[in-house]
Amino acid sequence: MSHTKNEREDGILSKDQTESSLIDDGNCGAGTGGGVVLKKGPWTSAEDAILIDYVKKHGEGNWNAVQKHSGLFRCGKSCRLRWANHLRPNLKKGAFTQEEEQLIIELHAKMGNKWARMAAHLPGRTDNEIKNYWNTRIKRRQRAGLPLYPPEVCLQALQDSHGTSAVNGGDKGPHDILQNNSYEIPDVIFDSLKTSQNVLPYVPELPDISTGSMLMKGLGSQYCSFMPPTIHRQKRLREATAFFPGYTGAVKNECPLFEQFQDDISDKAAQSFGLSFPIEPDPATKNSLQFGVFPGSHNLSNGNFSASEPPLEAVKLELPSLQYPETELGNWGTFSCPPPLLESVDAFIQSPPPTSIAESDSLSPRNSGLLDALLHEAKTLSSAKNHASEKSSYSATPGDIAESSTFNICETEWENCGEPLSPMGHSATSLLSECISASGSTLDEQPPAETFTESHVKSEPADYVFTPEIQNEAPIRLDSCHPDTLLASNWLEQDSGYDKDQTIMTDSIAALLGDDLSSEYKNMAAGTSISSQAWGLGSCAWNNMPAVCQMSELP
DNA sequence: AAGGAAGGCAACCGCGTGCAC
DNA sequence: GGTGCACGCGGTTGCCTTCCT
């Protein structure tokens, strides 16, 4: 690979050509060149041989001496790069394996653009290789309008960060903006992935860096970068949903409420804070922070550009490692997201509900960063919920009372938890879509799918619908009204009656996915406890919701 | 078949860091 | 403590190949 050009050149490269490429190497420094004109451009096999021979004799390092001792007209820097990227032994050539890709994704979610550190976890791979791969991946997925990260990574990052942020006083990695916000995020994300999914053939010893920090940093920026600022949220919702044929039907059937998004979002905005989550907080426990997770899911969704329409303006491709100033990250008001995405956030920040004023002071997103913001919102949502709870279902199909009784809550909650007022401007649908998209077999593009229609939406009621009355009874069941829970989850599996349902669901999804994906899906869904992470990222968040919420519960 | 566009990769460039003097 | 050097890292550029029209 490294010699493709050079080898080709070797046969045709004339002396004139070689000399024509000799230019001053300002980058390598005049001193190292010593006035000698150093060559730039592709390396030839002869040069490679010289360099290899030199390294064999003298070892790596002292690269500036290479030119002096070997006769190579290359600066030390160039020699080092050539050696490191192409000549050194044990370099693994060829395309990245799926395992490597998975690892890169996870590492990037964790580290950001720390290519060298990522390369340390990928034996035989160079930072440059990883970097190129990642940039290519970004472009590819951007074109496809797909999320950059598999949502399970995002969700796990958020979950774990959410659950441990308060108790972890861990490392102070230099790259973690979040740390500056006093959110120490452990490495549990990938540890859990590694242990549960058994995906990674190579389990690196990840440096003790705040997990998800880069991911979190990228959440807003990444999303905002890729999301056309002007795209309507409804449109985004449908577009995002449209990416996943297999899930589209499931979404249609399980969550008819999505159709409601097409109607007057602004009118429902106020309600969103009240019922923005399918899982109603326990009025007794006031576990309002259940809400905090789902917005987090939105947040994570924001970490993924779900729009199918690429932005016209130039985008910043480097996402998680965007080194936003701390103030930017912590201050949602100045976040670089376009207004349509964060207008609700701004409004929310600027006008917190009266009941949350106290909390706002202590938990203002402006002060504490993303996670605090989520907590803040969660609390606010909980408070506001009481005001909105009186509102009856407003989206039921007329005459379909019985169905609406089950649907409306789901619908309402879905509506409310969806596009309009998520601080991150994302809907559960987009989350779902991203979940599905990223859980594909290739980690990359997924074919677009048709958007669902109302007829689909109304066609089948959800089997289980959460209502405040039964919330204590079966939090598992209410999950079922969430599309994410179409896929297996550990939580759901706790339900004695779920196994059968899961099997049916799995088969259905597998059928929808078609031959290519069904087997993979089935294997993942049925064979392991990580099916939700592999395929139903959303269920990760849902599964762990209570724990996260409890951990997040404010005094 | 030809030309253009896009993708992928190798190499370059600038900057930051660590270390020795 | 200041300075210079070597090295490493991340971003960017440019070239080549492939694909599309």
Side-chain angles (χ1 to χ4, degrees):
Chain A
M1 179 170 68
S2 62
H3 289 185
T4 52
K5 292 181 193 174
N6 295 334
E7 289 170 353
R8 188 172 56 250
E9 287 174 356
D10 289 342
I12 61 174
L13 192 63
S14 67
K15 189 171 186 298
D16 289 342
Q17 285 175 311
T18 302
E19 290 179 347
S20 67
S21 65
L22 299 179
I23 60 175
D24 289 336
D25 189 352
N27 179 52
C28 291
T32 56
V36 177
V37 179
L38 299 177
K39 183 185 177 185
K40 290 166 53 175
W43 281 65
T44 65
S45 294
E47 289 176 315
D48 285 342
I50 293 173
L51 181 57
I52 292 171
D53 183 65
Y54 175 86
V55 173
K56 283 180 180 177
K57 291 178 180 177
H58 301 90
E60 298 183 40
N62 199 15
W63 295 108
N64 285 330
V66 176
Q67 186 264 326
K68 299 174 184 175
H69 296 134
S70 68
L72 267 179
F73 291 99
R74 296 277 185 173
C75 71
K77 208 172 188 175
S78 182
C79 292
R80 183 187 62 83
L81 203 63
R82 182 65 181 175
W83 174 260
N85 288 341
H86 300 283
L87 301 180
R88 67 181 167 89
N90 301 324
L91 273 181
K92 191 185 295 182
K93 299 295 183 181
F96 285 98
T97 66
Q98 193 163 346
E99 289 76 15
E100 287 175 322
E101 292 178 1
Q102 176 74 24
L103 182 56
I104 290 171
I105 292 167
E106 294 173 3
L107 289 172
H108 191 274
K110 182 183 180 71
M111 299 175 178
N113 290 8
K114 302 302 178 185
W115 311 118
R117 286 163 61 190
M118 294 167 68
H121 298 285
L122 287 158
R125 300 297 187 179
T126 68
D127 55 351
N128 205 39
E129 206 172 3
I130 296 171
K131 179 172 57 183
N132 287 334
Y133 164 77
W134 188 258
N135 290 334
T136 299
R137 171 186 163 84
I138 288 175
K139 291 177 184 177
R140 237 179 11 237
R141 296 184 71 85
Q142 179 188 1
R143 285 196 303 271
L146 293 174
L148 186 55
Y149 291 110
E152 68 266 23
V153 174
C154 298
L155 289 173
Q156 289 251 341
L158 183 70
Q159 284 180 323
D160 292 330
S161 65
H162 203 53
T164 59
S165 60
V167 296
N168 187 346
D171 72 286
K172 297 288 182 181
H175 306 291
D176 288 344
I177 290 175
L178 283 179
Q179 291 174 346
N180 295 332
N181 293 325
S182 301
Y183 278 101
E184 317 305 337
I185 306 170
D187 283 345
V188 290
I189 292 174
F190 302 106
D191 290 342
S192 64
L193 284 175
K194 285 178 287 187
T195 56
S196 61
Q197 285 186 277
N198 195 25
V199 166
L200 306 178
Y202 169 70
V203 180
E205 294 180 3
L206 298 175
D208 189 18
I209 301 168
S210 290
T211 301
S213 59
M214 291 302 173
L215 175 63
M216 298 294 284
K217 282 191 287 182
L219 292 177
S221 59
Q222 177 175 336
Y223 175 82
C224 295
S225 296
F226 285 91
M227 179 62 69
T230 57
I231 187 170
H232 196 284
R233 287 187 288 259
Q234 293 177 0
K235 186 176 182 180
R236 291 207 316 269
L237 168 67
R238 278 178 288 181
E239 286 172 345
T241 305
F243 274 109
F244 314 105
Y247 257 77
T248 304
V251 172
K252 294 172 192 171
N253 296 337
E254 293 291 326
C255 292
L257 59 98
F258 291 113
E259 188 69 12
Q260 300 296 326
F261 279 110
Q262 301 178 33
D263 301 323
D264 196 6
I265 289 179
S266 61
D267 286 348
K268 300 182 174 81
Q271 301 176 19
S272 297
F273 277 112
L275 285 172
S276 63
F277 199 70
I279 299 178
E280 182 118 4
D282 188 333
T285 61
K286 304 293 184 185
N287 194 2
S288 61
L289 288 175
Q290 287 177 342
F291 288 94
V293 177
F294 200 68
S297 298
H298 295 179
N299 173 20
L300 290 166
S301 299
N302 289 334
N304 305 287
F305 44 95
S306 60
S308 59
E309 295 180 2
L312 296 177
E313 66 274 18
V315 297
K316 177 71 172 174
L317 295 180
E318 192 274 294
L319 300 165
S321 68
L322 285 174
Q323 303 298 313
Y324 286 115
E326 178 180 354
T327 53
E328 253 186 78
L329 182 69
N331 189 342
W332 289 20
T334 59
F335 209 75
S336 57
C337 295
L341 290 176
L342 289 180
E343 56 187 358
S344 62
V345 177
D346 293 338
F348 168 66
I349 294 172
Q350 293 163 9
S351 302
T355 57
S356 300
I357 293 175
E359 290 86 356
S360 299
D361 293 337
S362 60
L363 286 172
S364 170
R366 294 177 180 271
N367 298 328
S368 303
L370 184 57
L371 291 174
D372 257 341
L374 295 175
L375 295 175
H376 178 76
E377 183 204 8
K379 262 234 170 301
T380 304
L381 291 173
S382 177
S383 300
K385 179 190 75 65
N386 295 331
H387 300 287
S389 61
E390 295 177 357
K391 299 192 176 186
S392 60
S393 303
Y394 46 81
S395 58
T397 302
D400 196 359
I401 304 299
E403 181 173 321
S404 65
S405 66
T406 57
F407 264 116
N408 285 345
I409 294 171
C410 182
E411 289 179 7
T412 301
E413 289 167 350
W414 269 98
E415 281 186 31
N416 290 332
C417 75
E419 308 289 310
L421 285 183
S422 170
M424 304 307 289
H426 251 246
S427 69
T429 312
S430 60
L431 170 65
L432 169 67
S433 303
E434 289 152 9
C435 153
I436 301 163
S437 70
S439 57
S441 59
T442 63
L443 302 174
D444 278 323
E445 289 118 68
Q446 301 284 339
E450 65 181 49
T451 57
F452 57 80
T453 62
E454 185 171 1
S455 61
H456 288 101
V457 169
K458 299 294 183 184
S459 61
E460 298 180 16
D463 290 337
Y464 303 116
V465 176
F466 173 82
T467 63
E469 290 76 15
I470 66 172
Q471 59 181 335
N472 292 330
E473 171 189 339
I476 298 167
R477 295 194 173 197
L478 61 86
D479 263 352
S480 298
C481 83
H482 192 298
D484 291 357
T485 63
L486 288 171
L487 299 173
S489 69
N490 296 332
W491 244 41
L492 289 170
E493 287 167 355
Q494 295 172 6
D495 188 321
S496 59
Y498 177 74
D499 289 343
K500 181 181 177 181
D501 295 338
Q502 182 186 10
T503 301
I504 296 171
M505 191 72 69
T506 300
D507 292 341
S508 300
I509 295 173
L512 289 169
L513 291 174
D515 295 339
D516 293 341
L517 298 177
S518 63
S519 60
E520 179 178 352
Y521 165 70
K522 280 188 174 184
N523 291 335
M524 299 181 75
T528 70
S529 62
I530 52 82
S531 58
S532 61
Q533 292 177 344
W535 271 90
L537 64 134
S539 54
C540 296
W542 289 70
N543 293 346
N544 296 310
M545 189 77 66
V548 174
C549 294
Q550 288 177 5
M551 295 190 70
S552 305
E553 188 169 355
L554 298 173

